[in-house]
Amino acid sequence: MEDKPTPRKRRLWVLVGVLFLIAAAYSLFHQRFNGFIDRQALLRSASPDPDEFAASAAQLANPAAYLKHCWATGKVPHRELVMSFLAAHCAANPEWLAQIHDLLLAGTADPDMSVREVALGILQSRDDPRLFDCARAQLRDPDPLARQLGLEYLRRLKPNQAIPTVVPLLDDPDLTVAATADVALMHWTGEDFGVRVRDAIPSRQADTNLDAVHVSTIRQGIERRKQWYQDHVKDYSFQLAPTNSPGPRQPTCPVEDFTLPDLAGKTVRLSEFRGKTVLLNFWATWCTACQAEIPDLIDLQNQLGGDVIILGISLDGAQDEQGKSLGEDSAGVSPDALKAKVARIAHARGINYPVLLDPEARVGRRFNGGELPTTVIIDRNGCLRRRFIGERTVTVFKAMLTEALKPNS
């Protein structure tokens, strides 16, 4: 007579069965599970590795939902990676790109100029009919480089649509934008009035003003262009929508708090300045463009006083993701020596705003601050309103800061 299994043996067999099922499930789904864990880690990361991000997204047959989650973090590195991924894969994957078309349009109004450039490029590569509206929206931006970006993409459109849009920029307060508008009009009409964009670009490194002859040539050419348009306006019957028509809504991007030491060793926290507009300027002592921009920031601080907080964040000693120095090789240089060098430059330049030290680029990487100078503007509610690379004038800084005082809409 066969013995009946005891309760202990039954529990043992149940446990073995459960373990077998777990092992079978792991063998079948561990790659998906590990991929899920990796993607969650990338979402939480302050500065995800670009290669890991691309590989993680590429594993998904339809990464649209994941890309939306990355975008929704509001983090600068994540949004730039999303747009880079779309630019690399949109041509071969039109089916899931259609699911995130609204995200692509939002990218053309993103606070980050780098994101805008890529988003507009994707629309152009797809012959998207919304390119005209999105490019035209750039023309209302306080940043002249954004207006030039809009002009670049308008140049690729039909003359009867683009010419009435571009003509008003002949009166742009920035001479480079006005000259760019004239050259675009020359491209469409074939009428050359002698205006050249290179003649409208000042040489900041040489610390000289524009050549008076070049300025006169540009002004005269623009006046001739305006007269030409008055004589030919009937040839361009395209009806523009009202100039105050809204472009894509600028996303709301809360900025995570951070702390960094200043030159006196005091810890400064971003949240201390909530209620004020904050301008972060990432710079380094070895960066010549940063040095050229410092007088404008000093002037800006003198003009705006306590209404705006300027924080100069030094990336001296910082390295990129591959462990290479961003600028001068700082291997073997002590933190005290780096701090002393930054302090000497700050004193010599007469910097009148707080200078913070970020030798490990903990904060710099959050804003992709490796290409210098990088500037970030944060509004009174702690939301990112603008990120861009390169120098700007005091006038442009003030226009951007004024915009940041307005409700985000």
Side-chain angles (χ1 to χ4, degrees), residues 11 60 77 81 108 148 159 168 177 207 256 258 280 283-284 301-302 304 310 316 331 333 389 393:
R11 287 196 297 271
L60 299 169
L81 288 172
T108 68
Q148 290 185 55
V177 175
D207 195 27
E256 293 183 10
F258 64 78
L280 307 180
W283 70 291
Q301 183 66 78
N302 287 333
L304 300 180
I310 300 176
D316 282 80
V333 181
I389 298 168
T393 65

Side-chain angles (χ1 to χ4, degrees), residues 71 76-90 97 101 103-128 131 134 138 149-150 152-153 156 368 387 389:
W71 183 265
V76 168
H78 292 66
R79 290 192 165 188
E80 290 194 8
L81 288 172
V82 167
M83 279 300 155
S84 296
F85 185 85
L86 291 177
H89 296 86
C90 66
L97 184 65
H101 192 253
L103 182 152
L104 188 58
L105 294 178
T108 68
D110 197 76
D112 188 346
M113 278 293 295
S114 298
V115 170
R116 289 194 202 185
E117 291 182 35
V118 178
L120 287 166
I122 296 173
L123 291 180
Q124 193 274 331
S125 68
R126 292 172 52 81
D127 293 323
D128 194 300
L131 177 63
C134 294
Q138 309 303 316
L149 179 66
E152 176 185 341
Y153 284 97
R156 310 176 191 195
N368 281 356
R387 176 198 172 272
I389 298 168

Side-chain angles (χ1 to χ4, degrees), residues 167-353:
V167 165
L169 267 74
L170 294 172
D171 293 319
D172 195 276
D174 187 281
L175 192 61
T176 304
V177 175
T180 303
D182 185 272
V183 171
L185 291 163
M186 179 180 68
H187 163 76
W188 287 306
T189 65
E191 297 287 343
D192 185 354
F193 296 118
V195 175
R196 299 294 181 267
V197 175
R198 64 175 178 271
D199 294 336
I201 301 175
S203 176
R204 290 295 297 272
Q205 285 73 18
D207 195 27
T208 60
N209 294 320
L210 285 173
D211 185 284
V213 174
H214 289 163
V215 172
S216 178
T217 300
I218 292 171
R219 296 294 187 198
Q220 291 177 24
I222 287 175
E223 288 305 314
R224 292 174 63 193
R225 177 75 62 191
K226 290 160 70 174
Q227 182 59 53
W228 175 90
Y229 184 67
Q230 289 180 13
D231 296 339
H232 296 80
V233 66
K234 293 181 179 179
D235 298 335
Y236 303 99
S237 58
F238 182 77
Q239 296 296 314
L240 293 174
T243 56
N244 61 351
S245 60
R249 182 176 181 179
Q250 191 181 77
T252 300
C253 308
V255 175
E256 293 183 10
D257 200 12
F258 64 78
T259 60
L260 286 174
D262 65 12
L263 291 174
K266 175 187 174 183
T267 297
V268 176
R269 185 180 294 274
L270 176 64
S271 57
E272 295 174 15
F273 309 112
R274 183 63 61 88
K276 293 182 178 292
T277 304
V278 179
L279 186 152
L280 307 180
N281 181 253
F282 293 92
W283 70 291
T285 58
W286 45 261
C287 169
T288 55
C290 302
Q291 299 280 348
E293 190 174 45
I294 287 174
D296 285 340
L297 293 173
I298 292 172
D299 191 10
L300 189 68
Q301 183 66 78
N302 287 333
Q303 291 189 37
L304 300 180
D307 293 336
V308 172
I309 303 297
I310 300 176
L311 300 176
I313 301 180
S314 167
L315 294 181
D316 282 80
Q319 299 177 336
D320 60 19
E321 288 80 359
Q322 286 73 42
K324 297 180 181 179
S325 297
L326 292 179
E328 292 180 350
D329 188 3
S330 57
V333 181
S334 70
D336 288 341
L338 285 172
K339 183 168 87 169
K341 181 181 180 182
V342 174
R344 284 196 303 271
I345 295 296
H347 177 73
R349 290 286 184 174
I351 293 179
N352 58 352
Y353 47 87

